[in-house]
């Protein structure tokens, strides 16, 4: 490893890494130049009589679990003058960081009284701060450490980079990366994964990959894990899975449970059930099936890939379950339209003495809203803060708006939004707008759109919903006006996109798609298919197609090549009879495709599982699990 006190800062290399200008880096590096090594780097030692007294004081911490208990020990700490002893303060801070974060301020207060804290002490406080709700304090402390001429070591950087990640402080993170390079620590196995995490949390996935690619020792499971997680968290599941395959191709590289968590969440994002099942087998074969987190990720994966039975099986076979595991299963039932099962499970969870958290309640409220259980939903929402002391968040409010909206209680929904202790967000208004659309309330819809436009004017979805509402109500002048407005504001529609996984490959289709290599065959097939469906009663629902000068036939043709129909047709063509067809769509499924899917499930005797932006639709024997309620 190069000397820690390397010569001139290599700003060019830093700039290449971080994308910062050399000038900016010059500033960052010059304020961060190391001067001389730290005075004490040894293990904390306790000596003499005082040492014994401190030892006794510290041993009091063993059973201390609450801040009240800690306050009693605080008096002893001050009485025995513990703040005069650096190693004791270090241990106290470490205790607070990991066990009792509420007491961290007091520990830091003692740290402030030490005249010349060493690197270990600085590192410990930075580590503590990085875990708090105000991680940026670790970065300030790092700067202070540099000012006091202390040289950061390979424990300092992971702490401060973790803090940058938690605070999404990209500029600071980049400057620290510069210093890492400057000190020649850019091949350090402890620091590199935290650099990747920092860039990933700041949504700089390309920078994260650059760090990963330049690793001298890339064959480190930890770095692979960091990069795979970075992709998964930044919604790039394909890249995550590609890297996972690369990882498997390396000999002596064994995935850990952390790898599996990210791989499973990528499968969930893609709706890639086959790959998810393969990972499940891997989990069983390699003894990860006792890991609560892995099992919870499996439940989530199966639920999001449309297989609620597999999710339930994993849940039932879990040797032990924690709150996230219960929540995952409740959410799974909820998004599959099994509202009653979700609520029964919630009752069972409470009987078993498990405490629900905010995710559990999301599942519970979602279950109520998608099953039309208005009274129950209201009751559970109230119990959140009253019984469990959980403050509802924006997503819980969203569920409530959805609950009222779906049940057609639009005025109550509107009142609820306006009575909130926070300023209503776009998502809340959009939930209400969707409800107006479903119930055909154009007047309230227009009103809601006004609220949305106060916040944001450029989202095509709102215009499309409003325009479709007006179209369904036959208000073609309004439709025309909305189209004109969209044009003036330069807004284009987000294209509908549906995907289907066949033999481990994910095929994507866009509405009206002529791009897919098989599009010709598919269009031909859909033409035939629609005629077949008509024989058993399917009527294309052209009410929402803007009809400027379009003939009825043309309108039908626009509907016919919607992305979800293309994906389903592709599934019919490329899977053996009787296989379940699983499709994922980026927007809400349209009414016509919903109706067509029901008929296809009947005529072709296929189960179709369609995941749209909001929920799952299970089509079987001509009906859908949502009961037309979506
Ligand atoms: Zn459609
Ligand atoms: Zn449905």
């Amino acid at each position: 490893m190069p000397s820690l006190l390397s010569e001139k800062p290599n700003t060019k290399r830093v700039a290449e890494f971080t994308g910062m200008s050399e000038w900016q880096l010059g500033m960052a590096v010059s304020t961060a130049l190391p001067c001389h090594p730290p005075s004490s780097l040894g293990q904390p030692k306790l000596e003499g009589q005082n040492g014994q007294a401190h030892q006794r004081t510290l041993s009091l911490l063993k059973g201390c679990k609450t801040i009240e208990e800690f306050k009693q020990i605080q008096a002893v700490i001050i009485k025995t003058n513990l703040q005069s002893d650096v190693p004791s303060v270090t241990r106290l801070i470490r205790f607070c960081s990991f066990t009792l974060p509420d007491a961290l301020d007091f520990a830091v207060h003692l740290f402030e009284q030490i005249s010349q804290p060493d690197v270990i002490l600085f590192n410990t406080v930075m580590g503590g701060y990085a875990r708090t709700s105000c991680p940026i304090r670790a970065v300030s402390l790092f700067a202070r450490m540099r000012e006091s001429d202390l040289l950061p070591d390979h424990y300092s950087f992971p702490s401060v980079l973790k803090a940058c990640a938690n605070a999404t402080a990209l500029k600071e993170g980049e400057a620290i990366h510069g210093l890492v390079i400057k000190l020649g620590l850019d091949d350090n196995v402890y620091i590199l994964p935290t650099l990747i995490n920092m860039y990933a949390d700041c949504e700089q996935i390309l920078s994260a990959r650059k760090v990963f690619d330049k690793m001298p020792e890339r064959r480190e499971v930890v770095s692979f894990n960091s990069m795979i997680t970075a992709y998964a968290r930044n919604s790039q599941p394909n890249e995550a899975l590609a890297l996972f395959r690369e990882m498997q191709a390396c000999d002596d590289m064994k995935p850990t449970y952390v790898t599996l968590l990210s791989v499973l969440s990528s499968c969930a994002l893609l709706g890639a059930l086959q790959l998810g099942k393969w990972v499940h087998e891997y989990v069983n074969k390699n003894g990860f099936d006792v890991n609560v987190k892995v099992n919870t990720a499996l439940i989530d994966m199966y639920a999001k890939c449309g297989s609620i039975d597999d999710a339930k099986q994993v849940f039932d076979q879990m040797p032990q379950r924690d709150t996230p595991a219960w929540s995952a299963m409740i959410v799974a039932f909820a998004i599959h339209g099994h509202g009653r099962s979700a609520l029964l499970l919630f009752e069972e969870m409470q009987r078993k003495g498990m405490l629900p958290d905010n995710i559990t309640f999301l599942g519970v409220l979602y279950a109520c809203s998608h099953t039309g259980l208005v009274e129950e939903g209201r009751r559970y929402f109230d119990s959140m803060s009253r019984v469990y002391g959980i403050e509802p968040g924006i997503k819980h409010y969203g569920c409530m708006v959805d609950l009222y909206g779906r049940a057609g209680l639009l005025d109550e929904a509107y009142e609820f939004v306006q009575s909130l202790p926070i300023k209503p967000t776009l998502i809340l208004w959009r939930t209400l707008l969707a409800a107006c659309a479903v119930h055909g309330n154009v007047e309230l819809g227009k009103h809601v759109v006004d609220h949305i436009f106060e916040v944001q004017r450029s989202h095509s979805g709102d215009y499309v919903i409003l325009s479709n509402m007006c179209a369904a109500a036959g208000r073609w002048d309004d439709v025309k006006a909305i189209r004109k407005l969209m044009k003036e504001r330069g807004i284009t529609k987000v294209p509908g996109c549906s995907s289907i996984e066949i033999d481990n490959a994910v095929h994507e289709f866009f509405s009206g798609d002529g791009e897919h290599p098989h599009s010709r065959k598919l269009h031909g097939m859909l033409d035939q298919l629609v005629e077949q469906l008509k024989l058993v009663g399917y009527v294309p629902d052209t009410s929402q197609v803007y009809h400027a000068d379009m003939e009825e036939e043309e309108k039908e043709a626009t509907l016919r090549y919607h992305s979800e129909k293309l994906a389903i047709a592709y599934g019919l063509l490329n899977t053996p009879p009787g296989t379940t067809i699983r499709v994922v769509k980026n927007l809400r499924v349209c009414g016509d495709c919903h109706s067509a899917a029901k008929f296809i499930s009947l005529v072709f005797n296929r189960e179709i599982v369609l995941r749209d932006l909001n929920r799952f639709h299970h089509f079987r024997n001509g009906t859908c699990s949502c009961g037309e309620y979506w």
Side-chain angles (χ1 to χ4, degrees):
M1 192 164 72
S3 153
L4 281 184
L5 302 168
S6 63
E7 44 326 290
K8 239 180 121 254
N10 186 347
T11 44
K12 197 152 211 155
R13 201 161 146 230
V14 180
E16 191 190 323
F17 250 111
T18 64
M20 278 174 107
S21 75
E22 286 187 27
W23 176 82
Q24 277 175 309
L25 276 172
M27 295 290 288
V29 172
S30 65
T31 52
L33 269 176
C35 296
H36 49 72
S39 50
S40 72
L41 274 169
Q43 283 300 308
K45 265 186 243 133
L46 295 171
E47 277 161 11
Q49 247 182 357
N50 265 344
Q52 278 171 9
H54 297 327
Q55 197 83 274
R56 272 198 301 276
T57 312
L58 290 169
S59 69
L60 293 174
L61 295 172
K62 255 185 197 151
C64 171
K65 287 202 179 70
T66 66
I67 188 77
E68 284 70 30
E69 288 167 357
F70 183 79
K71 277 190 179 141
Q72 291 173 359
I73 306 170
Q74 228 169 285
V76 187
I77 290 173
I78 292 166
K79 217 171 111 196
T80 53
N81 197 24
L82 190 123
Q83 64 268 34
S84 65
D85 184 59
V86 176
S88 297
V89 174
T90 311
R91 279 177 59 184
L92 182 63
I93 294 171
R94 200 167 290 150
F95 167 79
C96 294
S97 307
F98 288 98
T99 316
L100 200 62
D102 285 349
L104 186 63
D105 277 343
F106 173 75
V108 173
H109 171 72
L110 298 188
F111 160 79
E112 295 295 352
Q113 294 175 33
I114 293 172
S115 58
Q116 279 182 320
D118 62 11
V119 173
I120 296 175
L121 197 44
F122 266 107
N123 289 351
T124 315
V125 183
M126 285 193 293
Y129 275 151
R131 287 184 183 80
T132 63
S133 57
C134 193
I136 201 75
R137 286 156 83 182
V139 182
S140 320
L141 199 67
F142 183 79
R144 225 175 91 192
M145 175 179 165
R146 303 290 309 119
E147 278 161 19
S148 50
D149 288 354
L150 287 175
L151 186 68
D153 60 14
H154 61 271
Y155 291 112
S156 319
F157 287 107
S159 291
V160 74
L161 284 168
K162 186 179 161 112
C164 292
N166 290 351
T168 55
L170 178 61
K171 246 179 68 190
E172 288 80 358
E174 283 173 337
I176 290 161
H177 186 187
L179 183 60
V180 167
I181 295 169
K182 156 86 192 57
L183 295 179
L185 289 169
D186 53 338
D187 56 357
N188 184 290
V189 289
Y190 294 105
I191 300 175
L192 285 177
T194 54
L195 267 173
I196 296 176
N197 290 344
M198 183 276 291
Y199 281 120
D201 284 357
C202 295
E203 294 179 18
Q204 300 298 311
I205 198 81
L206 287 177
S207 303
R209 182 67 200 224
K210 264 190 201 165
V211 175
F212 179 78
D213 282 340
K214 291 204 179 175
M215 277 184 189
E217 266 306 316
R218 256 182 63 170
R219 287 159 187 258
E220 283 288 338
V221 176
V222 196
S223 332
F224 264 98
N225 282 353
S226 294
M227 197 61 225
I228 292 173
T229 308
Y231 280 131
R233 281 219 201 120
N234 282 273
S235 304
Q236 298 190 14
N238 280 317
E239 285 77 359
L241 295 179
L243 199 59
F244 174 59
R245 290 193 184 104
E246 207 176 298
M247 179 181 185
Q248 283 185 295
C250 303
D251 299 332
D252 64 86
M253 178 86 69
K254 278 238 166 268
T256 66
Y257 86 93
V258 178
T259 329
L260 297 175
L261 293 182
S262 295
V263 169
L264 284 170
S265 92
S266 300
C267 293
L269 275 171
L270 281 172
L273 182 64
Q274 291 165 27
L275 184 60
K277 283 199 162 160
W278 181 89
V279 178
H280 191 180
E281 273 168 33
Y282 185 93
V283 163
N284 289 341
K285 265 188 226 148
N286 292 276
F288 290 107
D289 52 342
V290 289
N291 185 308
V292 185
K293 282 186 177 159
V294 171
N295 280 319
T296 305
L298 277 168
I299 295 174
D300 181 62
M301 179 277 293
Y302 276 127
K304 289 187 176 144
C305 290
S307 185
I308 187 74
D309 294 341
D310 284 314
K312 185 68 183 9
Q313 207 177 357
V314 173
F315 181 77
D316 287 342
Q317 288 172 356
M318 279 176 83
Q320 51 189 348
R321 308 182 187 112
D322 56 5
T323 296
W326 284 89
S327 303
M329 196 59 227
I330 290 171
V331 170
F333 276 136
I335 59 175
H336 279 269
H338 301 310
R340 296 275 175 197
S341 305
L343 298 180
L344 280 176
L345 200 64
F346 179 56
E347 300 296 334
E348 192 188 331
M349 173 183 183
Q350 287 169 299
R351 272 200 307 279
K352 295 241 158 102
M354 300 296 300
L355 276 183
D357 62 10
N358 62 338
I359 312 257
T360 325
F361 274 103
L362 269 186
V364 167
L365 295 177
Y366 195 94
C368 293
S369 79
H370 284 249
T371 324
L373 300 169
V374 178
E375 271 322 303
E376 285 85 344
R378 213 178 267 167
R379 202 157 43 80
Y380 286 126
F381 180 76
D382 286 340
S383 77
M384 264 186 88
S385 50
R386 204 168 34 79
V387 181
Y388 299 100
I390 303 169
E391 273 315 301
I394 194 74
K395 288 189 176 165
H396 303 98
Y397 295 140
C399 283
M400 289 308 285
V401 176
D402 205 36
L403 175 74
Y404 291 128
R406 281 166 191 276
L409 304 169
L410 296 179
D411 292 334
E412 282 188 78
Y414 188 65
E415 267 167 39
F416 180 82
V417 172
Q418 293 204 305
S419 71
L420 291 180
I422 51 149
K423 197 173 179 304
T425 58
L426 282 172
I427 292 178
L428 291 186
W429 287 125
R430 288 200 173 118
T431 308
L432 187 51
L433 179 63
C436 293
V438 170
H439 296 282
N441 191 332
V442 177
E443 289 319 314
L444 187 58
K446 280 182 156 180
H447 206 58
V448 172
V449 167
D450 286 341
H451 281 291
I452 292 178
F453 289 171
E454 271 174 29
V455 192
Q456 189 193 45
R457 293 180 156 256
S458 57
H459 193 274
S460 69
D462 308 317
Y463 294 87
V464 174
I465 290 176
L466 189 62
S467 149
N468 286 349
M469 270 166 78
C470 296
R475 294 165 66 155
W476 299 107
D477 288 342
D478 283 339
V479 174
K480 224 181 236 172
I482 295 164
R483 295 279 152 138
K484 201 170 147 236
L485 204 64
M486 284 179 77
K487 218 170 175 183
E488 282 167 10
R489 293 179 178 168
I491 292 157
T492 44
K493 268 171 89 164
V494 176
C497 172
S498 299
S499 59
I500 181 167
E501 182 204 20
I502 289 173
D503 295 334
N504 286 323
V506 176
H507 300 261
E508 286 189 327
F509 299 90
F510 292 90
S511 277
D513 201 348
E515 300 291 309
H516 194 275
H518 298 109
S519 59
R520 250 188 130 179
K521 204 166 151 198
L522 281 180
H523 284 197
M525 182 196 172
L526 278 171
D527 292 340
Q528 279 179 16
L529 185 90
V530 166
E531 295 313 314
Q532 250 173 303
L533 299 182
K534 280 183 183 168
L535 293 177
V536 288
Y538 162 70
V539 183
D541 175 15
T542 53
S543 68
Q544 296 195 354
V545 181
Y546 178 46
H547 79 340
D549 302 306
M550 252 191 220
E551 295 294 332
E552 197 63 17
E553 252 173 47
E554 273 180 86
K555 283 202 252 170
E556 268 192 51
T558 332
L559 284 177
R560 189 170 294 173
Y561 308 130
H562 272 184
S563 67
E564 52 270 58
K565 288 201 193 79
L566 287 169
I568 292 173
Y570 192 76
L572 282 176
L573 279 176
N574 292 289
T575 54
T579 319
T580 302
I581 295 175
R582 296 169 198 278
V583 171
V584 179
K585 190 184 177 193
N586 67 336
L587 308 170
R588 259 167 64 104
V589 57
C590 88
D592 182 64
C593 288
H594 192 268
S595 154
K598 283 195 292 186
F599 283 103
I600 293 172
S601 74
L602 182 71
V603 172
F604 293 86
N605 196 19
R606 292 277 197 129
E607 208 178 314
I608 300 169
V609 182
L610 176 67
R611 174 177 120 193
D612 74 1
L613 194 61
N614 290 335
R615 61 166 297 146
F616 276 96
H617 300 267
H618 286 253
F619 301 95
R620 196 183 294 159
N621 292 328
T623 58
C624 180
S625 62
C626 73
E628 305 304 303
Y629 200 82
W630 85 92

